[in-house]
Amino acid sequence: MGQHDDRPAGAPWGAGADAEPDRGPFDRGPDPDPDPEEDAELAALALKILVAGGFGVGKTTLVGAVSEIRPLRTEELLSEAGELVDDTGGVDQKTTTTVAMDFGRITIRSGLSLYLFGTPGQDRFWFLWDELSQGALGAVVLADTRRLEDCFPAVDYFEHRRIPFVVAVNCFTDARRYGAHEVSRALDLDQGTPVVLCDARDKDSGKEVLIRLVEYAGRVHTARLLDSVEPQADSV
């Protein structure tokens, strides 16, 4: 962290200049003439995913639940001094907060791994988001229907930077249930932005969210690539 590259925001992490963005990671069929070097590159394919959202929404829980390695956490105890700047309404029992990032890894299938970077939720740590978002394929925005407005900053951030994202509603036990369409309308999401319901504590539920994101981000990046080459094709 701290080193910048020349890739535009939202460019897939780990994808080189010769990568084939027109085919998503779930669309690769058998190669009739396999290339050992290409096989080695695919075996090492890793995608960078952000997990964002408001304070206390379950970002650390989600990363920890799905990670196949011991997750890296940068949590500190909440202090009395922080009460002046941290809104703990609705999460009164929360005692710690992420001050830099959470990190985990999950293998979706053979040859495809996701590196997960959980962002800090409080306003005063948002300066870290630009560093964490460098080279990210996409993002998961966790939402709590009891404090839905807390995810507005994350939604705005990714929309303005054209980073594909899905909204994952963390279904807390005492929270009122809303459908995906209702949440999408309340957040005024762009048409086509997926909204999924999940349990951040459950590995399988979290994995389904990540698969949905990778598939959606793949379609978005492919569409952008086609849009960028169509004018050149028309001029030939």
Side-chain angles (χ1 to χ4, degrees), residues 2-3 28 35 53 55 126 142 155 166 178 192 200 207 224 232:
Q3 294 181 347
R28 298 185 183 274
D35 183 340
F55 178 59
W126 282 353
L142 272 177
V155 169
V166 301
Y178 293 92
K207 185 175 181 179
R224 290 175 183 172
Q232 298 178 11

Side-chain angles (χ1 to χ4, degrees), residues 49-236:
I49 302 296
L50 299 186
V51 180
F55 178 59
V57 76
K59 300 181 295 295
T60 298
T61 300
L62 176 63
V63 173
V66 302
S67 180
E68 61 197 16
I69 62 173
R70 182 177 180 180
L72 169 66
R73 294 172 175 169
T74 57
E75 290 190 306
E76 294 292 341
L77 292 173
L78 292 172
S79 64
E80 293 183 3
E83 293 179 358
L84 301 176
V85 291
D86 292 331
D87 179 13
T88 58
V91 286
D92 303 329
Q93 297 182 359
K94 185 172 175 61
T95 59
T96 61
T97 182
T98 299
V99 296
M101 68 174 186
D102 299 310
F103 174 77
R105 185 190 72 201
I106 179 174
T107 300
I108 296 296
R109 63 162 175 75
S110 178
L112 175 60
S113 297
L114 304 183
Y115 287 81
L116 309 176
F117 291 79
T119 65
Q122 301 98 311
D123 298 8
R124 67 183 188 276
F125 295 125
W126 282 353
F127 68 92
L128 293 169
W129 284 37
D130 287 338
E131 291 286 345
L132 292 175
S133 65
Q134 287 292 323
L137 175 79
V140 173
V141 176
L142 272 177
D144 178 355
T145 56
R146 300 169 302 179
R147 311 165 77 217
L148 196 59
E149 67 280 1
D150 287 359
C151 71
F152 279 133
V155 169
D156 290 341
Y157 182 91
F158 297 123
E159 284 184 343
H160 290 160
R161 287 159 180 78
R162 303 185 72 224
I163 298 176
F165 68 93
V166 301
V167 173
V169 179
N170 192 8
C171 298
F172 289 90
T173 303
D174 57 343
R176 181 178 174 181
R177 295 292 192 268
Y178 293 92
H181 179 70
E182 293 175 289
V183 174
S184 178
R185 186 172 56 185
L187 293 175
D188 193 24
L189 298 177
D190 291 339
Q191 186 175 5
T193 302
V195 176
V196 295
L197 308 182
C198 74
D199 182 345
R201 303 166 299 179
D202 183 76
K203 181 176 182 178
D204 290 336
S205 180
K207 185 175 181 179
E208 286 300 317
V209 171
L210 295 172
I211 291 175
R212 184 77 175 273
L213 170 63
V214 172
E215 292 175 337
Y216 172 65
R219 293 194 299 269
V220 170
H221 287 297
T222 298
R224 290 175 183 172
L225 176 67
L226 293 176
D227 288 342
S228 67
V229 300
E230 280 182 357
Q232 298 178 11
D234 294 339
S235 62
V236 175

Side-chain angles (χ1 to χ4, degrees), residues 7-16 19 21 45-48 135-138 217 221:
R7 289 168 295 186
W13 190 57
L45 180 60
L47 303 175
K48 181 179 183 181
L137 175 79
H221 287 297

